Every structure is written in structure tokens, then in C-alpha cells.
Amino acid sequence: MKDLIYNHDSVDDIQMKIMDKEIELWKEEIAIIRIEILFFKRILSLDVFNDFIFDQQKKLELINDLTDVKNVNESYYERLTVFVGKLNRIKEIEGVQCESFYLNNYTPFRKDIESHFSAYRFYKINVILFFDTYLEEKI
């Protein structure tokens, strides 16, 4: 199994396994964000909520922000695809070059993409709270 760490694994092997696992999680997160963006777009545009008295300005802001969020997420998808290509080429290299790639590329990319996920979660919370405020009135 790929995820197991064996006694004979080198530090580079272990780093690669950790990177591979994190990258798979990033790919999943980007895919989930894509689906959630579609859902938010649909729900923010639904006529079903016409009976609710929404803050129309806030609703428009959420819709406009959604376009930006989608573009940023797609940019991260493209960057991740390029990054994985580089990582696959580096896997062919042993030792110092692998460690150098890890320190110079992987660590900053990890920090950057996790910052994106954090910003997206903040946006998602805003959408949920926007609807929750109005749904609470109807309960």
C-alpha cells in the first residue's frame, strides 16, 4: 500500500508519500469547492426565496464574490496541475534536489493553497449565515 511507511523508506520517500497524500486532499477540496460554488450560484439565484425580504445589496455582493471565488479556485486548480507535473519530474531525482524542491516549492505552495481554502471557508460561512438569518424567521 502506498500510504504505509516502511523501515527501509528514506526521508525523501516519506516526504514524497506525505506530499502525495496532501496533494490528493487538495484535489478533493478543489473539486468539492467547484460543486459548492455551483450550488451557491443556484441557491442565490432561486425565485423560491421571493417571499423572503433579503438584504438585496448583501445578496448581490455574495453573487459577485462568487464569480471571484470561482475564478480563484480555477486558478488554483490550474496551478495545482502544473505543480503536480513538476513534482512528478522531481520524483525521478534523488537526494538533495528532491529536498531542495520540497523546501523551495512545496512548502510555499502548501501555505498558499491552504490560505485559499481558508478564505473559501470564510466565504462559505457568509453564504450560510446569509440564508440562515432569513430561514430562522420562517421557522
Side-chain angles (χ1 to χ4, degrees), residues 3-87:
D3 294 339
L4 296 177
I5 296 174
Y6 300 100
N7 289 336
H8 65 274
D9 284 341
S10 69
V11 171
D12 288 342
D13 292 336
I14 294 169
Q15 280 182 332
M16 285 296 180
K17 287 179 182 185
I18 291 169
M19 284 190 282
D20 287 344
K21 185 66 175 167
E22 286 185 331
I23 288 169
E24 287 307 309
L25 292 173
W26 297 342
K27 288 177 182 177
E28 287 176 23
E29 187 70 22
I30 286 174
I32 289 167
I33 290 171
R34 282 176 160 172
I35 292 166
E36 289 176 344
I37 287 170
L38 286 172
F39 175 75
F40 291 149
K41 182 177 181 180
R42 289 180 180 142
I43 198 166
L44 285 166
S45 302
L46 275 176
D47 291 335
V48 170
F49 296 106
N50 285 344
D51 292 344
F52 292 79
I53 302 169
F54 285 122
D55 176 347
Q56 292 300 319
Q57 182 62 32
K58 179 67 174 171
K59 184 178 175 181
L60 287 175
E61 288 173 11
L62 289 172
I63 291 170
N64 290 336
D65 289 347
L66 185 61
T67 301
D68 294 339
V69 169
K70 179 181 180 187
N71 291 339
V72 169
N73 195 61
E74 291 306 309
S75 171
Y76 275 96
Y77 171 77
E78 292 167 10
R79 290 176 58 200
L80 182 57
T81 301
V82 169
F83 184 79
V84 168
K86 286 181 186 176
L87 182 60

